[in-house]
Amino acid sequence: NKRTNGRNVGGYSTGVADNIIGVGPSSTQIFGNYYFQSINGLKEYFSGVSAGEFPISRGHTLSIDDMIRRKCIFDLQCNLELVYADIEAEFDIDFSVYFFAELKKLEFLESKSFVCIMEDRLKVTFNGRYYVKNICKIFDIYFKGPETYQIHGP
């Protein structure tokens, strides 16, 4: 398993890109731990470009915690597994201590056979792959949705 599948703000890719240049209104740019979004309006965007300015409407600097969680989420989405040693080596953390609360929450999903919590990794099961985005939400501190899945409609 060479893990060549990648993910970024644009979706899945055939590799991992640390820097992404977005061109056009509302495009997203990524440079290391910085995210930027271009101005939305076409007229305003080209006005900025014509003036020799970067037409950026907003930006965000990722914290170390953001980068750790992004790596966990991307690994789960791309590889359907999260190898604790990879995260520990890259960010100098103890995975089981750092993500103690998240591992506790994942126990429920393990009881439903969506994930398998192993000593050295978290694996998404065959059935769990259909719910991988919901599994990843456990690692997303910005997600403000309900704790449990709610069925909508009749």
Side-chain angles (χ1 to χ4, degrees), residues 81-94:
E81 76 173 353
L82 178 55
V83 179
Y84 307 149
D86 292 349
I87 304 299
E88 291 174 334
E90 186 171 342
F91 297 102
D92 194 28
I93 63 166
D94 181 328

Side-chain angles (χ1 to χ4, degrees), residues 21 24 37-38 41-42 51 69 91 100 107 112 117 120 126 138 140 149:
I21 298 171
Q37 184 176 8
S38 295
L42 191 62
R69 290 174 183 280
F91 297 102
F100 180 82
E107 288 175 1
K112 301 296 182 190
I117 303 170
D120 67 333
F126 181 81
I138 291 173
D140 187 348
Y149 179 75

Side-chain angles (χ1 to χ4, degrees), residues 77-132:
Q77 288 181 327
C78 294
N79 306 313
L80 300 178
E81 76 173 353
L82 178 55
V83 179
Y84 307 149
D86 292 349
I87 304 299
E88 291 174 334
E90 186 171 342
F91 297 102
D92 194 28
I93 63 166
D94 181 328
F95 189 92
S96 62
V97 172
Y98 196 91
F99 288 111
F100 180 82
E102 288 81 357
L103 289 169
K104 283 291 180 200
K105 289 179 182 178
L106 286 163
E107 288 175 1
F108 173 75
L109 296 178
E110 185 174 41
S111 75
K112 301 296 182 190
S113 300
F114 292 152
V115 298
C116 182
I117 303 170
M118 304 163 85
E119 188 174 314
D120 67 333
R121 70 191 64 221
L122 172 68
K123 288 189 71 98
V124 176
T125 64
F126 181 81
N127 289 337
R129 66 195 170 115
Y130 297 106
Y131 304 98
V132 73

Side-chain angles (χ1 to χ4, degrees), residues 29 35-40 55-60:
Q29 294 74 233
Y35 281 27
F36 303 97
Q37 184 176 8
S38 295
I39 293 171
N40 290 326
I56 303 297
S57 64
R58 62 184 172 163
H60 179 74

